[in-house]
Amino acid sequence: MDINTKKVTKNAYRITKQRYKTALRVRVPGGRLKAEYLEILQKIADEYGDGDLHLTTRQGFEITGIDMDKIDEVNAIIQPVIEGLEINQINPNTGYTAAGTRNICACIGNRVCPKAQYETSGFAKRIEQAIFPNDFHVKVALTGCPNDCIKVRMHDFGIIGMTLPQYDKQRCVSCGRCVEKCTKLSTGALTMENYKVTREHDKCIGCGECVLNCPTNAWTRNEEKFYRLAIMGRTGKKNPRLAEDFILWIDEDSIIKIIKNTYDYIGEYIDRSLPKEHIGYIVDRTGFIEYKKWALKDVELSPMAKVASNIYWGGIRY
Amino acid sequence: MKIEISKEDFNKSLHRLGDEYRIYAPVAMAYKGTFSDTDSIRYKEINTLDEIEFNLKSHFSPKEVILPITQVLFYFTEDQYKEPETEKKKLLVFLRACDIHAVKRMDQIYLENGQRDPYYQEVRDTVKFVLIGCEKSYRNCFCVSMGTNKTEDYSLGIKPVGDQVLLDIKDEELNAYFFGEEKDFEMNYVTSNDIKVLIPEPHQIAKDIAEAPLWREYDERCVACGKCNFVCSTCTCFRMQDIFYKDNENNGERRRVWASCQVDGYTDMAGGHSFRKRHGDRMRYKVLHKVYDYNKRFGYHMCVGCGRCDDACPQYISFSTCVNKLHDLGKEER
């Protein structure tokens, strides 16, 4: 068999330990799909694979045990899934156009979860539309609230929902529930003074516990959506580490612009002697200040946004 | 007089009324709900018909219009005090039959239970009610069981039908504002709810009801947030707060603020005593007040069956289910 492995991997198929067998990674931006697509995945698994589906760590499916010479056939069968999930594609029936930029993960978000501040899957799809297909190795994840169930701090871009609580002191009955919840579950940003509540903005992480627990609707959410953007978290060999906060109280459009700008930065600075270089290591090499210059190009942040002046990542060093 | 009027003309009349009245109605306030991207339906000053949420039950009751959540009673400085200026405009409030019945309960407590409350009286004297008929019963409603599904006690009845508005004008004063063709119609009201509540007769409530095991499940389930009280259209408890201003503690104000018998602190007394520490005991206190004690004093039940307490409870505790359990217990013991 003569097959270009680079083309195989770019097409979202894996070179596996079992010679002549491959596995297809099906991306599901935002981790949500119509159940009907499972029928197609089952068909591929049963007829071309080993009958199994692996649930990937990035909320996709991996169909294992596919013969390498069946890639074209499988690409034709998977087409309705690619179209149905609105995955950008250059040519129909050729499967996935790239694999470097990984599936955009999201927690279940505010379609279901009471704690979430926004519809995570929808925002994930918007990001997917903006950055896929792309060969650069970038991982993005979105979580509805600072509980961070999807673990965005282990990603290059971690997006955490924030709400800006609004306080109507006329509606407040001084029950103290918000203060208690904020102190016990969150950061202790609320204090009671003269029977009314004061919020320390710099301590507030926008988790919304005050709103969730207010029995009189004295605490409500702002109509605007805000996010915490944490960057350059990673697992891996060299220096696994959690993402650090880059911008607090940032808006959706600015996040997308920053991620797109990051691709320009990668294009400029990536070490092309390596098969792939992960964005975080590029930032380590150029320094954060240079990255920040590129990332914020033409980004118009609202006055609410608070940008880190510098970032020093921690993590494990060997 | 019953008339038909176009929405446009109705809004013009509303505009004219606005010179004399502050007009309050249930409004679906976008993004203001407990969870993100949800509405909060509560009372708000309005200018046009379209702002009113006619199709859903409001999360909070209209009582907050008449009985403010926070009300300054007076400001004080050393040996003097002054009551705040009061609003000159009168009030027009859109509400449903159960809520009109609830106003009677508020009147009972604030006006006909010993000394009249002058703050309440002052507001109450200026209020006119606009009845929103109920086309259907909502989830958790049990107004029919409580006999509060219908009322004649309103100044204006409103029934929007497409681009037209049918009005039942009972208050002579309002005749001067609304001009339309006479048209006979009936206000909507519900005649049956999915939830039916049976209330035990006073003699069926055992003397040692406080000891009944029924209350114990609420010790664990209830989180004592007080939502059931704050959304209730008939709860009237308040607490007093004396505030001494930070910059000059010789000045300050005395406020009264809504209180909840479910929330910690309600029974706190001098010396640090407090009662009903178990949440189930608080539940018992509330339930028996709504369907037993109040009735014993005033001859009718306090609860009007709006079901907002059940709508609001984050722990899915159902007041109506509890009352029915109480009824079953009464039967058993006989």
Side-chain angles (χ1 to χ4, degrees):
Chain A
M1 176 178 256
D2 178 279
I3 195 160
N4 181 340
T5 59
K6 297 215 165 35
K7 281 188 180 166
V8 171
T9 52
K10 187 175 158 61
N11 203 193
Y13 288 88
R14 193 196 279 273
I15 306 302
T16 71
K17 62 185 281 194
Q18 198 182 353
R19 207 162 169 83
Y20 312 117
K21 291 280 187 192
T22 184
L24 171 62
R25 279 204 306 277
V26 177
R27 57 196 296 126
V28 183
R32 190 181 176 97
L33 80 167
K34 283 266 165 251
E36 66 190 64
Y37 295 122
L38 292 178
E39 275 184 33
I40 295 173
L41 305 188
Q42 185 189 2
K43 182 181 160 73
I44 297 171
D46 285 345
E47 293 175 18
Y48 293 87
D50 54 21
D52 282 0
L53 281 180
H54 174 75
L55 297 176
T56 75
T57 58
R58 298 206 64 81
Q59 296 187 317
F61 296 97
E62 188 150 346
I63 312 175
T64 49
I66 298 170
D67 286 324
M68 278 183 169
D69 55 10
K70 297 285 194 255
I71 285 178
D72 289 344
E73 284 177 44
V74 171
N75 279 344
I77 299 171
I78 197 76
Q79 186 63 24
V81 177
I82 293 174
E83 282 173 17
L85 297 182
E86 295 168 340
I87 308 292
N88 291 331
Q89 191 185 32
I90 291 174
N91 294 310
N93 299 310
T94 59
Y96 294 94
T97 308
T101 290
R102 299 296 203 251
N103 186 42
I104 319 291
C105 301
C107 75
I108 196 159
N110 82 356
R111 286 191 202 222
V112 176
C113 182
K115 306 255 178 193
Q117 308 294 1
Y118 65 104
E119 210 279 278
T120 49
S121 304
F123 191 3
K125 284 188 167 172
R126 255 197 90 191
I127 296 174
E128 167 85 10
Q129 286 294 316
I131 64 174
F132 189 81
N134 207 300
D135 293 333
F136 293 147
H137 195 122
V138 174
K139 290 172 178 156
V140 183
L142 301 96
T143 200
C145 79
N147 279 356
D148 191 9
C149 293
I150 200 82
K151 298 164 182 62
V152 302
R153 287 195 186 271
M154 290 166 76
H155 295 251
D156 300 314
F157 291 99
I159 298 156
I160 304 170
M162 294 176 97
T163 192
L164 181 63
Q166 312 284 296
Y167 182 59
D168 178 351
K169 71 180 196 320
Q170 288 299 111
R171 294 192 73 82
C172 177
V173 293
S174 334
C175 70
R177 206 169 158 76
C178 54
V179 178
E180 186 194 347
K181 291 286 178 179
C182 187
T183 306
K184 289 185 178 169
L185 299 179
S186 197
T187 59
L190 302 181
T191 45
M192 188 77 87
E193 191 178 0
N194 264 347
Y195 300 104
K196 299 290 176 195
V197 184
T198 314
R199 176 179 149 273
E200 198 182 326
H201 183 67
D202 287 346
K203 259 192 167 181
C204 176
I205 55 168
C207 67
E209 284 295 335
C210 48
V211 183
L212 282 172
N213 289 288
C214 179
T216 61
N217 224 206
W219 284 108
T220 55
R221 289 182 177 75
N222 191 295
E223 289 177 23
E224 262 181 275
K225 299 284 183 194
F226 295 102
Y227 305 88
R228 171 182 299 254
L229 180 64
I231 59 166
M232 307 306 151
R234 64 189 173 208
T235 55
K237 296 189 182 76
K238 283 169 77 173
N239 166 225
R241 66 189 187 191
L242 292 178
E244 293 287 338
D245 292 343
F246 178 18
I247 304 175
L248 306 183
W249 307 103
I250 188 176
D251 64 289
E252 191 169 323
D253 289 344
S254 298
I255 289 175
I256 291 178
K257 182 87 181 125
I258 286 170
I259 298 176
K260 289 184 82 164
N261 283 345
T262 299
Y263 281 88
D264 297 339
Y265 163 85
I266 298 172
E268 174 77 12
Y269 286 111
I270 195 167
D271 180 351
R272 295 183 196 273
S273 73
L274 298 164
K276 65 181 180 191
E277 192 182 28
H278 195 235
I279 162 71
Y281 294 105
I282 306 173
V283 177
D284 289 351
R285 216 171 49 245
T286 70
F288 169 72
I289 299 299
E290 180 63 12
Y291 167 69
K292 182 174 161 181
K293 193 178 87 189
W294 283 75
L296 293 180
K297 188 169 179 269
D298 299 330
V299 174
E300 285 173 31
L301 295 169
S302 83
M304 269 289 290
K306 202 175 146 196
V307 185
S309 53
N310 208 339
I311 296 179
Y312 304 95
W313 282 273
I316 296 162
R317 287 172 212 281
Y318 299 101
Chain B
M1 191 172 61
K2 290 179 177 175
I3 62 164
E4 184 177 48
I5 176 172
S6 72
K7 250 190 194 178
E8 208 187 323
D9 287 343
F10 181 86
N11 281 335
K12 281 181 193 157
S13 304
L14 218 51
H15 185 73
R16 277 200 303 279
L17 274 164
D19 295 338
E20 246 184 281
Y21 290 85
R22 283 170 296 143
I23 306 163
Y24 280 86
V27 172
M29 299 167 72
Y31 302 103
K32 293 295 169 193
T34 298
F35 307 120
S36 62
D37 297 342
T38 60
D39 296 345
S40 178
I41 307 173
R42 56 174 150 98
Y43 276 75
K44 191 172 175 265
E45 206 169 341
I46 57 131
N47 299 306
T48 63
L49 190 74
D50 292 330
E51 294 170 59
I52 304 174
E53 175 58 70
F54 279 105
N55 298 321
L56 299 167
K57 193 199 308 185
S58 67
H59 301 149
F60 289 87
S61 88
K63 83 172 170 196
E64 59 191 57
V65 179
I66 307 167
L67 188 66
I69 299 173
T70 300
Q71 186 169 25
V72 176
L73 301 186
F74 55 81
Y75 303 98
F76 57 82
T77 174
E78 296 179 336
D79 57 353
Q80 289 177 321
Y81 71 94
K82 183 185 180 300
E83 288 181 23
E85 295 299 320
T86 47
E87 183 59 56
K88 297 284 180 287
K89 280 189 185 179
K90 295 186 272 187
L91 276 171
L92 193 68
V93 184
F94 286 68
L95 73 185
R96 296 176 187 277
C98 58
D99 290 333
I100 289 181
H101 283 275
V103 173
K104 182 180 170 189
R105 276 77 175 159
M106 285 199 281
D107 290 351
Q108 187 84 58
I109 296 298
Y110 280 95
L111 302 176
E112 290 145 43
N113 184 33
Q115 194 146 14
R116 286 174 163 242
D117 183 283
Y119 295 94
Y120 180 83
Q121 176 91 64
E122 194 169 339
V123 179
R124 186 65 182 84
D125 286 345
T126 73
V127 190
K128 287 191 199 310
F129 295 115
V130 184
L131 174 69
I132 301 172
C134 289
E135 233 175 294
K136 56 170 190 193
S137 173
Y138 296 98
R139 189 163 198 149
N140 296 326
C141 289
F142 53 98
C143 53
V144 177
S145 299
M146 302 313 296
T148 56
N149 52 325
K150 209 180 170 188
T151 182
E152 292 298 328
D153 200 5
Y154 53 89
S155 299
L156 183 69
I158 181 168
K159 186 177 182 179
V161 182
D163 285 337
Q164 300 294 109
V165 181
L166 299 171
L167 296 177
D168 178 10
I169 308 167
K170 285 185 185 283
D171 187 317
E172 291 294 320
E173 238 184 89
L174 295 179
N175 272 330
Y177 287 93
F178 299 100
F179 310 100
E181 262 181 53
E182 270 193 56
K183 182 162 181 172
D184 196 37
F185 73 98
E186 289 307 315
M187 285 297 293
N188 287 325
Y189 64 98
V190 296
T191 52
S192 157
N193 311 114
D194 289 345
I195 307 256
K196 289 175 179 58
V197 169
L198 293 169
I199 298 177
E201 295 296 324
H203 69 270
Q204 288 176 307
I205 305 268
K207 287 259 182 303
D208 61 350
I209 190 68
E211 310 307 321
L214 152 76
W215 310 113
R216 297 287 65 84
E217 77 165 282
Y218 303 108
D219 290 345
E220 290 291 317
R221 289 179 66 197
C222 173
V223 294
C225 68
K227 272 189 186 169
C228 50
N229 294 130
F230 299 129
V231 299
C232 178
S233 55
T234 68
C235 276
T236 48
C237 285
F238 62 81
R239 64 194 277 208
M240 304 300 277
Q241 296 177 344
D242 282 351
I243 310 300
F244 301 90
Y245 298 145
K246 250 169 103 182
D247 285 352
N248 180 355
E249 58 193 23
N250 293 326
N251 296 338
E253 64 190 61
R254 173 167 291 183
R255 304 171 187 152
R256 70 175 173 202
V257 175
W258 285 7
S260 155
C261 54
Q262 307 302 297
V263 169
D264 288 353
Y266 183 79
T267 61
D268 284 359
M269 303 187 73
H273 300 287
S274 73
F275 305 95
R276 297 193 293 276
K277 287 184 178 140
R278 293 183 297 186
H279 296 175
D281 290 342
R282 299 176 192 180
M283 179 75 176
R284 183 249 310 155
Y285 178 81
K286 177 184 72 185
V287 171
L288 289 182
H289 189 49
K290 298 287 178 194
V291 299
Y292 175 65
D293 299 319
Y294 183 99
N295 180 35
K296 264 185 28 180
R297 282 174 65 192
F298 302 115
Y300 60 97
H301 290 300
M302 186 180 184
C303 174
V304 293
C306 71
R308 287 190 183 95
C309 48
D310 287 17
D311 299 338
C313 180
Q315 302 300 317
Y316 284 76
I317 292 171
S318 161
F319 173 87
S320 57
T321 305
C322 183
V323 175
N324 280 333
K325 280 185 194 170
L326 194 65
H327 176 262
D328 292 348
L329 201 67
K331 272 196 315 198
E332 274 168 34
E333 286 179 356
R334 282 190 63 80

